[in-house]
Amino acid sequence: MTPVPTPSVTPVFASDEEALAAAEESYKRYLSELDSALSSYDVSRLSEVASDEALTEALSSVSDFRAAGHKLVGHSAVASIDLISFDPAGDVEVYACHDLSGTDVVDASGASIVSPNRPVQYPMHVSLSTSEHRLVVNSAEVWSGDDFCA
């Protein structure tokens, strides 16, 4: 009996570098849209950059900000990013150092509510997946291991 060939999956990324570059671009786009939503309360574009847990948490954060009368001022950034893994289907995991030094959170009167002792960088474990031919953030959680931002 002749074995039946199994169809092969064409990898989404050809290399570690390509997967990392795509993840970095997608995570930066996610942060930009989240920053915008936290300053305007407009959540209409979040589903273009986030799904699953990341989308649920982003929508909840915007709702909490609106209810409290808080707004984000400025923009967060990615200080560094390192590839953990990727697979042929387009799922990517990275460690990212989320930099909040360019942001402030203000109340309804415009006064800052950010503690002067707030850390300005957070180590994040970010999972992304390919959805409708684009990479979106599925989850972004503060990393509980060693602080790779330090």
Side-chain angles (χ1 to χ4, degrees), residues 85-131:
S85 66
F86 74 97
D87 65 30
D91 294 331
V92 183
E93 287 188 57
V94 295
Y95 291 127
C97 186
H98 186 175
D99 187 341
L100 298 175
S101 62
T103 66
D104 195 4
V105 178
V106 297
D107 63 17
S109 71
S112 177
I113 61 164
V114 173
S115 166
N117 299 325
R118 167 189 80 170
V120 294
Q121 294 186 335
Y122 290 87
M124 304 294 293
H125 176 249
V126 183
S127 296
L128 306 98
S129 66
T130 303
S131 173

Side-chain angles (χ1 to χ4, degrees), residues 20-96:
L20 180 59
E24 181 172 16
E25 178 183 329
S26 297
Y27 187 55
K28 285 180 176 179
R29 192 170 55 246
Y30 163 80
L31 291 178
S32 177
E33 291 300 337
L34 181 57
D35 289 351
S36 178
L38 291 170
S39 64
S40 70
Y41 308 137
D42 179 3
V43 298
S44 63
R45 295 182 54 130
L46 287 175
S47 63
E48 296 174 17
V49 296
S51 66
D52 301 336
E53 182 183 319
L55 180 58
T56 300
E57 288 184 11
L59 293 171
S60 177
S61 293
V62 173
S63 178
D64 292 348
F65 263 54
R66 181 189 305 244
H70 297 159
K71 289 198 177 207
L72 181 76
V73 177
H75 301 282
S76 59
V78 178
S80 65
I81 191 164
D82 292 299
L83 183 67
I84 300 170
S85 66
F86 74 97
D87 65 30
D91 294 331
V92 183
E93 287 188 57
V94 295
Y95 291 127

